[in-house]
Amino acid sequence: MFKREVFMAEVALQKTSVEAIAKQIGISKAAFYRKMNGQSDFYRKEILGICACLHLDKQKMGEIFFDVKVS
């Protein structure tokens, strides 16, 4: 499950924009927003590209892109 608030905080910390990240990972701005709004899923390659753009570690990547439940 994509956590938009956490993602947008990281975007702000890196002083970049969603549009710039979309361009860097090779997808359209519209496609990126559809993915952010849950209308389609991020591909693995896109997640890795976003993490590279934002300099995110694996823990932060998991926090933003995955919903981990431990029982």
Side-chain angles (χ1 to χ4, degrees):
M1 167 180 258
F2 180 74
K3 295 176 188 76
R4 185 183 183 115
E5 299 80 21
V6 179
F7 171 75
M8 292 306 292
E10 291 296 329
V11 170
L13 285 172
Q14 292 297 322
K15 297 183 172 118
T16 189
S17 67
V18 171
E19 292 82 5
I21 295 169
K23 185 176 181 178
Q24 288 180 345
I25 66 170
I27 65 173
S28 71
K29 180 173 54 171
F32 200 97
Y33 278 106
R34 280 193 301 274
K35 291 170 187 280
M36 286 179 59
N37 292 326
Q39 296 170 340
S40 67
D41 294 323
F42 285 98
Y43 292 112
R44 181 178 187 269
K45 180 180 175 183
E46 294 165 345
I47 292 171
L48 294 173
I50 292 165
C51 291
C53 291
L54 296 176
H55 310 290
L56 302 178
D57 60 20
K58 289 181 182 180
Q59 181 178 355
K60 187 58 81 169
M61 176 180 68
E63 183 181 338
I64 293 171
F65 291 99
F66 303 105
D67 190 22
V68 179
K69 288 187 175 183
V70 178
S71 52

